[in-house]
Amino acid sequence: MTAIDELRATPVRTTPTDEERRVALRGMKRLATSLLLVAAVVFAVSFALQDQVPWLAYVRAAAEGAMVGALADWFAVTALFRYPLGLRIPHTAIIPNRKDEIGATLGAFVEDEFLSDEVVVGKLRSIGISARLGEWLSRPENAERLTAEASVAARGVMTLLGDDDVEDVIEKLARRHLFEPEWGPAIGRMGERLVAANQQRAAVDALFEKAEEWLEAHPESIGGIVSGRMPRWMPDFVEKFVDERAHKEVLAFVRAVREDPAHPMRETIDRYLADLANDLQHDPLMIGRLEQLKVDLLESPRVREFAGEVWTSVKDTLETALDDPDSELRQGFRSAVVEVGIRLSTDAELAAKVDEWVTDAAAYVVRNYRHEIAGVITETVERWDPKETTEKLELQVGRDLQFIRINGTVVGALAGLAIYTVATGIRSLM
């Protein structure tokens, strides 16, 4: 059985509600008060009849001690929370009168005893955070749950983001990273590498292939250009012949260039591209022309429109993917979560590194912010109303304090009986 299974198999203890605590407190108060009343009745009866029935003197002594113990402990318990019988006796109603001091003391106690480096680091190292987290994440149902929660959070973030603000960011990033650097040298260096590696051949092949397809589909295109320049008195059959001949020659030339990797036209194109790449890097005139083109593009409203189109497209795509449980985005995230969980639970070295990182991070937070963390307790208690504070604390510990009254009644009875017995024994010996 794994650590996670053991945790699941452990019965969960439910914390009583305030109403349940209040009912239990009232029951214990009634029990403690009932014992006091019983002791008082027993004392009254035994006191009245002890002359006729001598052994009742022992009962009276026990009942008398029980009443004294019960009253003393009632006073002590009541003095913690309020003034006994409404009398403002010194050192009573301790909690409402010293609420702020109690909060400060509690905060200092938590800071010194619970938020020390030794306690926090020792606890984190002992529980094996990575192993437990890894086992939890490796379960598909948990990965699905985490993915769903992350999707909801992501949609919430996207809702909070203003479209105009995001478009401004995209535009600024585009200006900074796309438009501020010089285009010429960068494009020239990239073109030089492509030509040196003959990477331009694929583009040239595609260009002549498309040209051949277009010429085959539009035979009139070349013919119209040639026959349109001939004299008007030229017979139609001559123009038609010339047009067909021109189209065939151009088509044959394009086909020859496409089929022959060593065609002179290809070599001419390669030399042109190499010269162009060199000019883009070293020719000030060419660099200046490209920079002017960049400035014209930068001043165009299309830059802002581009930013808006990019964000709209990204936002729509993300929203659709986040809403669809079967989208590639969510499936990828689920798979990543499960993979991380498996690695954390099986890779001891990785788990140790994560544990160490978490421990160091927690120790840093505790070391630098322990006073602020403990201060939350002090500030919270200070904001409480004294009456509210008294009720909260009494609900938490009042039921257990009533046992003090019950024990005081029992112990008082035994003490009273013992004292009377010893005193009577000494008196009989004298």
Side-chain angles (χ1 to χ4, degrees), residues 20 24 112 118 140 209 270 289 364 374 426:
E20 291 173 341
D112 296 336
E118 295 78 7
E209 182 179 344
D270 291 345
R289 288 177 180 175
Y364 174 83
I426 294 175

Side-chain angles (χ1 to χ4, degrees), residues 79-97:
L80 287 174
F81 303 104
R82 56 187 58 85
Y83 294 110
L85 302 177
L87 301 175
R88 294 182 174 272
I89 303 172
H91 304 293
T92 57
I94 294 173
I95 290 177
N97 288 332

